[in-house]
Amino acid sequence: MGILGEIVKKPDEIYPLLKLKMAVKKAKKQIPPEPHWGFCYSTLHKVSKSFSLVIQQLGTELRNAVCVFYLILRALDTIEDDTSIPTDVKLPVLIAFHRHIFERDWHFSCGTNEYKVLMDQFHHVSAAFQELRKGYQEAVEDITKRMGAGMAKFICQEVETVDDYDEYCHYAAGLVGLGLSKLFLTSKLEVLTPNWEQLSNSMGLFLQKTNIIRDYLEDINEIPKPRMYWPCEIWGKYVDKLEDLKYKENSIKSVQCLNDMVTNALVHIEDCMQYMDALRDPAIFRLCALPQIMAIGTLALCYNNAQLFRGVVKMRPGLTAKVVDRTKTMADVYRAFYDFSCMLKTKVDINDPNSVDTLTRLEAVQKMCKDSGVLHKRYLQSSFC
């Protein structure tokens, strides 16, 4: 029955799904008339899906800065991800990318589908970038420079240890968190806590690790060369080669390795909660909170799930719509993290070699949610999952 069957089984997701579809249609009709801004926002809708909706809820100045920042980093990521580009060509482009964003006629052909269009017509993004206020430009340039250098480093270096893994995720996404925080501070809409840099990095690491876990099969099957981001220090405890995880004869070891990876990601949740709890602007809060809830929901689905090594594992559209519809305050975040951590906890097998660590980290998450004092109001709202 597919999607229709899911809707019949989850009737409480029908209304949020309809609201989300209507919001997407409305957002597409609000594309700015200027060619460069029109390109930026229409491309944003294609490459970020529901995330573009919360970007568009920001005030005009910050919205434009975040939109351009997102597209610049998406372009940088497209170059890194394209395994058909020779290393001697890719490295200098990654390292110099922060300078190209100031060049109105620069473009670089790579990627596929909407990402190829983004790269071929990157001059529109450059034009939009140069209309941003100087403080925004400086933040975007700094993060782009640091990210390009970090990506270049890991083109030539394997992810061997957990420290390597954390460093790679810092370059790929921790810097995104830092960059967004810099944009929020530039806008004067947020003050943030003294340790905002550490917390911002954790926000990025939690999302990146979730994506790396979820995308194992797509990355390992990449042609002409596999993308391998799972650290050898973890997968080496279970198999001889990373690609061995996808074979059915290794199912038990593969799932144990998967659970180890999920457990590693859970360590960032406390920092993520602290960061979100300090936010005061409602639109900025939703921009940050929705991806975090989607991440814990995705980890709950991936955990102990051998299907991850056979095909795609992701949250159903109706559940995504429900998360988008219900996430408005920090109380909603605590409820969502509690619900998804409970879902994950029910899947923990006591015989799993990492079960004690997994349960310890989940119990810490649940305690944090309970200590918030909002869970007693659960009768006002049904479960997220």
Side-chain angles (χ1 to χ4, degrees):
M1 292 178 68
I3 295 176
L4 181 60
E6 290 180 0
I7 293 174
V8 171
K9 290 179 181 178
K10 301 285 184 179
D12 64 323
E13 295 176 1
I14 296 175
Y15 180 61
L17 197 55
L18 291 174
K19 282 183 67 177
L20 181 59
K21 289 183 179 296
M22 290 173 63
V24 170
K25 286 184 179 180
K26 181 179 178 181
K28 287 180 178 179
K29 293 179 181 178
Q30 296 176 329
I31 302 295
E34 300 89 349
H36 53 298
W37 285 112
F39 175 82
C40 287
Y41 279 100
S42 61
T43 302
L44 181 67
H45 289 307
K46 295 173 184 175
V47 301
S48 71
K49 300 176 183 176
S50 59
F51 188 53
S52 66
L53 296 177
V54 286
I55 291 179
Q56 286 204 268
Q57 292 174 13
L58 298 168
T60 304
E61 186 182 80
L62 181 58
R63 179 181 69 226
N64 286 344
V66 173
C67 173
V68 170
F69 180 53
Y70 185 95
L71 292 178
I72 286 173
L73 298 190
R74 177 55 65 190
L76 189 60
D77 192 53
T78 299
I79 297 169
E80 184 210 20
D81 282 348
D82 193 332
T83 54
S84 68
I85 305 173
T87 299
D88 61 336
V89 174
K90 182 180 292 190
L91 289 179
V93 177
L94 291 173
I95 293 169
F97 194 82
H98 67 285
R99 293 196 291 270
H100 296 315
I101 62 179
F102 289 95
E103 300 171 14
R104 287 185 176 270
D105 59 349
W106 184 86
H107 64 92
F108 186 79
S109 185
C110 65
T112 58
N113 303 322
E114 60 267 22
Y115 300 102
K116 186 178 189 309
V117 175
L118 169 63
M119 299 307 300
D120 287 342
Q121 301 188 44
F122 192 78
H123 62 279
H124 288 306
V125 181
S126 298
F129 168 75
Q130 292 177 64
E131 290 185 5
L132 300 179
R133 188 152 54 88
K134 187 176 180 181
Y136 292 123
Q137 288 187 6
E138 290 173 346
V140 172
E141 181 188 10
D142 174 57
I143 296 301
T144 304
K145 180 179 180 179
R146 292 161 67 182
M147 185 178 289
M151 287 179 168
K153 175 180 179 178
F154 278 93
I155 294 295
C156 305
Q157 176 181 322
E158 296 291 334
V159 180
E160 295 285 346
T161 67
V162 171
D163 285 344
D164 291 340
Y165 182 45
D166 285 345
E167 184 182 5
Y168 171 77
C169 290
H170 164 73
Y171 289 129
L175 287 172
V176 179
L178 286 166
L180 285 173
S181 292
K182 287 187 173 188
L183 297 182
F184 301 158
L185 291 169
T186 301
S187 74
K188 307 293 186 185
L189 294 172
E190 296 289 353
V191 178
L192 303 180
T193 58
N195 60 340
W196 65 268
E197 293 190 36
Q198 173 197 322
L199 303 184
S200 301
N201 187 59
S202 291
M203 291 276 285
L205 262 62
F206 186 57
L207 299 184
Q208 184 67 14
K209 288 184 177 184
T210 299
N211 291 341
I212 286 173
I213 291 167
R214 179 200 62 198
D215 294 341
Y216 165 82
L217 193 62
E218 178 185 340
D219 288 341
I220 206 69
N221 287 336
E222 179 69 25
I223 296 173
K225 181 182 177 182
R227 295 195 295 258
M228 297 190 287
Y229 303 125
W230 289 32
C232 180
E233 186 178 337
I234 290 180
W235 62 257
K237 294 185 286 185
Y238 305 95
V239 289
D240 294 328
K241 294 182 292 184
L242 182 58
E243 56 264 38
D244 291 346
L245 294 172
K246 67 181 179 179
Y247 301 125
K248 287 186 177 181
E249 59 265 29
N250 297 323
S251 289
I252 294 176
K253 291 292 186 182
S254 298
V255 168
Q256 290 176 345
C257 181
L258 167 61
N259 295 345
D260 202 341
M261 291 287 290
V262 172
T263 302
N264 171 274
L266 297 176
V267 75
H268 302 292
I269 292 178
E270 185 175 353
D271 278 357
C272 296
M273 292 291 205
Q274 188 179 339
Y275 183 93
M276 289 184 283
D277 194 43
L279 297 173
R280 293 295 173 259
D281 183 86
I284 289 175
F285 171 79
R286 277 174 54 80
L287 177 73
C288 296
L290 282 168
Q292 296 292 318
I293 294 175
M294 295 293 291
I296 184 64
T298 300
L299 290 179
L301 291 174
C302 291
Y303 185 85
N304 214 40
N305 187 354
Q307 181 58 31
L308 181 130
F309 302 103
R310 315 281 176 262
V312 179
V313 175
K314 63 180 181 178
M315 289 174 62
R316 59 185 182 273
L319 180 54
T320 298
K322 190 159 69 169
V323 168
V324 172
D325 186 50
R326 290 183 177 180
T327 305
K328 297 178 176 65
T329 68
M330 193 62 199
D332 300 322
V333 172
Y334 283 123
R335 293 187 186 105
F337 268 77
Y338 185 81
D339 284 342
F340 284 120
S341 63
C342 286
M343 175 182 169
L344 200 160
K345 193 174 181 180
T346 63
K347 300 168 70 175
V348 177
D349 182 348
I350 199 64
N351 295 315
D352 185 277
N354 296 286
S355 62
V356 174
D357 284 345
T358 309
L359 290 170
T360 299
R361 291 179 185 179
L362 288 173
E363 285 162 5
V365 173
Q366 292 179 339
K367 182 180 185 302
M368 195 184 318
C369 296
K370 290 175 182 176
D371 289 348
S372 70
V374 303
L375 298 187
H376 69 283
K377 300 177 182 177
R378 289 176 58 78
Y379 64 88
L380 295 174
Q381 186 176 23
S382 60
S383 168
F384 268 84
C385 53

